[in-house]
Amino acid sequence: MKIIEPNLQTQAIASNILLTPNGLDEGRLLSVMGSIFTHKVDYADLYFQFTKSESWSLEEGIVKTGSFSIDQGVGVRAVSGDKTAFSYSDEISERALLEAAASTRTIARQGAGRAKVASAIKPGAARALYRQKDPVLSLDATQKVQLLERLERIARAKDPRVVQVMAGLSGEHDVVLVVRSDGVIAADIRPLVRLSLTVIAEHNGRREVGTSGGGGRYDFGYFSDVLLEKYASEAVNSALTNLDARPAPAGPMTVVLGPGWPGVLLHEAIGHGLEGDFNRKGSSAFSGRIGERVAAKGVTVVDDGTIADRRGSLNVDDEGNPTQCTTLIEDGILRGYIQDTLNARLMKMPVTGNGRRESYAHLPMPRMTNTYMLAGDREPEEIIASVKKGLYAVNFGGGQVDITNGKFVFSASEAWMIEDGKLAYPVKGATLIGNGPDVLNRVSMIGKDMRLDSGVGVCGKDGQSVPVGVGQPTLRIEDLTVGGTG
């Protein structure tokens, strides 16, 4: 078997956590694989996982909740043609594996098969995008609460109009081991932390909310006083801005999107439509359009799972394939899709390292990692100055998209009206309504200030949630429909 993982130590640690205590070794895993292939299947894998997670929340200076959990298990998958059988167990043992393997054979074709499992272990390419340190152990309980209390004090000190502060801290230590029928063993040890802040400001009987936060594949030491100050400033400034906001006007207008988190619109309205499963089934607005122009010149969109320490990054995906930087749209031309192993094989396209699953109890599917638009050549101030009248969307809240046609609706949590090339006043209640492929063709100016989000993204698909990253530079979009309250 080939080992694809950051280094031999990672696989040794994963084996010591997931296999050795449960009486498993390579020979027993090969036996399980062989039992699956007594019938004709094309492919099979075992996905072992150990997850330790912890979260704390603080409200009004009081710890409201604190939780700690440990979960482990194994998922067994077999693929035959376009059919998939899957079984999982929260017990890791040879008996549980064999029982799960037996249940996956229900999809097998008639007739005998043979195991396609190699016997030699060879080290593969080394990669270490993040440290293996366990975030949960990086601070004790008292220090974690003190971190939240410090963030609350900083936020309250920003302005007397801040009347309520809520903060949350979470950390996760995830160990995965993938064993595949094609002879690959891959392991990964994934830290993940997140800090969130919500403030409520009140003035003359009006209350408004501001949020901020961040994280990534670090331990809790990542949250320095400098970062706490930044999060507090962003959340408080957002709440105070909205206190002065007027009702947003409605109608088609020029819209300028800010850098960073507004890339969530790109993620939802375009990214999901570029996932392999939707395109294989012909249900995406981008199906069958590789090589065609789908966006304005200058628009280049990539999905990159290899950025060090980013929330959406992985050394290997949940099928044991190394992640990579995949160009999806290049200078407006559609170049490819986001692929897992199954859809890539059926579409006769390269695997892109985007097979992801929420846990061992879920099937992998093509999912985004860090999806963003590359920078252009315009100064952001120049873009705003070019707008006679329009909307500047700084931050987004919720939204939804229809993959089949690309139509989306997104609400702006912070936005400004632009008048004569200047930010005139903040507005509230603005929603952006459009069609993803159409909007890409309405991009007329691209800033040189590409920025990734602060590390808070969570993507949902078919009931599964995974951490992701988004990003973009400042963008000018022509004639986008804005739904307002004014």
Side-chain angles (χ1 to χ4, degrees), residues 358-379:
E358 182 176 320
S359 76
Y360 67 87
H362 299 84
L363 275 170
M365 64 181 86
R367 306 290 299 272
M368 286 171 275
T369 55
N370 304 298
T371 309
Y372 56 94
M373 184 185 295
L374 300 191
D377 58 0
R378 301 298 190 98
E379 296 290 347

Side-chain angles (χ1 to χ4, degrees), residues 263-343:
V264 69
L265 190 151
L266 182 78
H267 169 103
E268 294 289 355
I270 292 111
H272 279 296
L274 296 176
E275 291 170 338
D277 48 356
F278 296 127
N279 287 280
R280 177 175 66 85
K281 298 170 185 176
S283 59
S284 168
F286 294 99
S287 296
R289 300 190 62 189
I290 288 181
E292 295 182 14
R293 177 164 297 282
V294 296
K297 286 186 66 64
V299 173
T300 297
V301 178
V302 302
D303 183 86
D304 189 354
T306 69
I307 309 173
D309 301 319
R310 293 299 306 180
R311 181 174 172 84
S313 295
L314 301 168
N315 287 312
V316 294
D317 71 2
D318 294 326
E319 297 181 304
N321 294 307
T323 53
Q324 63 186 50
C325 181
T326 303
T327 299
L328 302 171
I329 299 172
E330 183 179 28
D331 198 20
I333 306 298
L334 182 61
R335 295 301 186 193
Y337 302 126
I338 294 165
Q339 297 285 13
D340 63 347
T341 300
L342 171 64
N343 289 283

Side-chain angles (χ1 to χ4, degrees), residues 426-469:
V427 294
K428 185 181 179 184
T431 58
L432 304 186
I433 305 165
N435 173 287
D438 177 62
V439 165
L440 284 181
N441 283 286
R442 295 177 182 269
V443 174
S444 59
M445 299 177 76
I446 303 174
K448 57 173 62 175
D449 58 339
M450 201 294 289
R451 191 170 74 206
L452 295 171
D453 75 290
S454 61
V456 297
V458 178
C459 174
K461 177 180 175 181
D462 290 349
Q464 294 191 42
S465 297
V466 296
V468 296

Side-chain angles (χ1 to χ4, degrees), residues 4 42-47 77-84 178-184 186 275-277 280 316-324 337-357 363-367 461:
I4 298 178
D42 298 318
Y43 176 87
D45 59 18
L46 313 175
Y47 182 83
R77 177 177 62 148
V79 178
S80 178
D82 62 354
K83 297 182 297 182
T84 299
V178 184
V179 182
R180 302 188 338 201
S181 60
D182 63 357
V184 169
E275 291 170 338
D277 48 356
R280 177 175 66 85
V316 294
D317 71 2
D318 294 326
E319 297 181 304
N321 294 307
T323 53
Q324 63 186 50
Y337 302 126
I338 294 165
Q339 297 285 13
D340 63 347
T341 300
L342 171 64
N343 289 283
R345 177 173 59 84
L346 294 173
M347 297 178 73
K348 296 180 172 55
M349 301 182 81
V351 174
T352 60
N354 288 91
R356 305 192 64 187
R357 57 180 108 198
L363 275 170
M365 64 181 86
R367 306 290 299 272
K461 177 180 175 181

